[in-house]
């Protein structure tokens, strides 16, 4: 329980120090959307370096913002052939995150 409390307090402290966490969701979402290149290739190897995925790795606050911003996930440039297992699952997850935002 002590470890759990420590992690919770650390998250709260990080949220207080993170200027992005203090912005309204609409503004931080717009800033994040500006990080997305107009076109990028899709492959399992490069997907981990795509801007929306990188935003998920920064902190919990940025993950929440990225997942709450369908526009970040509404652009994908698929380069064929797509090799490797799990392409359908990864693409399905990506499209799910785009929600009802036009692709």
């Amino acid at each position: 329980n002590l470890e759990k409390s420590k992690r919770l307090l650390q998250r709260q402290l990080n949220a207080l120090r993170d200027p992005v966490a203090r912005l309204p969701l609409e503004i931080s979402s717009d800033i994040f959307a500006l990080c997305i290149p107009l076109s990028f290739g899709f492959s399992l190897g490069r997907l981990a370096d795509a801007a929306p995925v990188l935003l998920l790795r920064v902190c919990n606050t940025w993950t929440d913002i990225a997942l709450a911003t369908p526009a970040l996930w509404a652009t994908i440039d698929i380069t064929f052939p797509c090799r490797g297992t799990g392409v359908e699952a990864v693409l399905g997850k990506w499209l799910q995150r785009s929600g009802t935002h036009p692709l």
Side-chain angles (χ1 to χ4, degrees):
N1 283 338
L2 190 57
E3 268 305 308
K4 187 177 179 180
S5 296
K6 179 183 173 187
R7 283 193 304 270
L8 179 61
L9 288 172
Q10 186 64 47
R11 274 192 214 147
Q12 292 172 346
L13 179 62
N14 288 343
L16 290 173
R17 291 192 289 187
D18 181 6
V20 175
R22 293 190 302 259
L23 292 173
L25 178 62
E26 296 80 15
I27 293 175
S28 54
S29 294
D30 287 346
I31 292 170
F32 283 15
L34 293 172
C35 296
I36 306 301
L38 295 177
S39 176
F40 54 89
F42 174 83
S43 70
L44 287 179
R46 289 187 54 212
L47 184 62
D49 295 328
V53 178
L54 291 176
L55 294 172
L56 297 177
R57 292 193 221 148
V58 175
C59 66
N60 289 329
T61 301
W62 286 34
T63 296
D64 293 342
I65 294 167
L67 292 177
T69 309
L72 296 178
W73 308 95
T75 301
I76 191 164
D77 181 13
I78 302 174
T79 304
F80 290 100
C82 292
R83 294 191 180 107
T85 58
V87 173
E88 296 85 8
V90 171
L91 186 57
K93 188 69 140 177
W94 194 283
L95 294 176
Q96 178 186 17
R97 290 176 177 166
S98 70
T100 58
H101 197 280
L103 299 176

